[in-house]
Amino acid sequence: MTAEMMAPAWMHEQITAEDYESWSEEQCAGIEIVDGMVAVSPRTSKRHNRLARMVANALDVAAGAEWNADTDFDVRLQDVPLTNRRPDVVVYRADTTDITPTRPEHVLLVAEVVSPGSETTDRIVKVDQYAKAGIGFYWRIEQAVTGVPLVYTYVLDPATKTYRDGDVFTGVLKAAAPFPVEIDLSQI
């Protein structure tokens, strides 16, 4: 049996923003669109989801009224070819809560929790895409063998549209930018 026989035709054709807008929430769940092509996201573990939620909750409290932090929604990086990413955590302007799609200019920070199957994408591909889109901060959260996650932080250099290395945290994340936040990662 070929892949074409097992998967729907729309997974093998380049789609447009208009096509994507017509899909149901069920069709959009668990996928990202990269250069117009459907990319199925690997299934996440409870540990992954809990870690993303812990980080989002802490960022949401620390961000104040101007910013929200949430999980599991699309960020439209470009319209043509369509590229939608679904970061594990997104900090975005509170006044854009009801605006769809969420665009890079609405976003302050994205965080990705690296899982088996997403290593290259989270460590290399998404870093470049988020930087080119102009998102100011990127956090990569590695699920370490020791059980205590490592958080690598990156800050956008707007002149080159690339990220500079920031601080690395384990145990307790105590970041000053984009706003002061403290997260005890050992509580996972």
Side-chain angles (χ1 to χ4, degrees):
M1 185 176 276
T2 67
E4 288 79 14
M5 295 169 71
M6 295 171 36
W10 55 263
M11 290 186 75
H12 304 285
E13 300 169 359
Q14 193 170 43
I15 62 166
T16 66
E18 293 77 28
D19 295 333
Y20 188 75
E21 300 302 327
S22 73
W23 291 2
S24 69
E25 281 190 40
E26 291 79 22
Q27 281 179 290
C28 298
I31 65 169
E32 294 178 314
I33 309 297
V34 181
D35 294 331
M37 300 302 291
V38 173
V40 178
S41 300
R43 182 179 299 246
T44 58
S45 67
K46 289 185 282 185
R47 174 176 285 281
H48 172 282
N49 294 343
R50 181 165 174 72
L51 186 54
R53 188 174 48 81
M54 275 179 54
V55 170
N57 289 348
L59 287 168
D60 198 48
V61 170
E66 191 176 332
W67 300 98
N68 292 337
D70 284 310
T71 61
D72 198 31
F73 66 89
D74 289 342
V75 175
R76 174 79 46 91
L77 299 181
Q78 65 184 34
D79 289 311
V80 179
L82 180 62
T83 298
N84 279 353
R85 287 295 188 178
R86 191 171 282 239
D88 293 316
V89 178
V90 182
V91 177
Y92 60 97
R93 289 193 349 244
D95 63 354
T96 66
T97 298
D98 295 321
I99 297 174
T100 303
T102 298
R103 302 250 179 214
E105 58 267 22
H106 305 152
V107 177
L108 178 64
L109 177 150
V110 293
E112 295 286 0
V113 178
V114 179
S115 296
S118 74
E119 295 96 335
T120 301
T121 303
D122 291 342
R123 292 176 186 154
I124 299 168
V125 178
K126 288 183 178 180
V127 176
D128 184 57
Q129 289 177 334
Y130 294 146
K132 284 186 175 31
I135 296 172
F137 297 87
Y138 177 67
W139 290 3
R140 189 182 85 236
I141 305 165
E142 298 278 348
Q143 299 183 67
V145 176
T146 61
V148 179
L150 293 165
V151 180
Y152 296 85
T153 65
Y154 302 89
V155 179
L156 183 68
D157 177 343
T160 63
K161 292 266 185 155
T162 58
Y163 286 117
R164 290 181 280 117
D165 291 345
D167 295 321
V168 178
F169 299 95
T170 189
V172 175
L173 182 154
K174 193 170 185 175
F179 40 76
V181 64
E182 187 170 325
I183 307 169
D184 185 354
L185 301 169
S186 67
Q187 297 302 308
I188 190 70

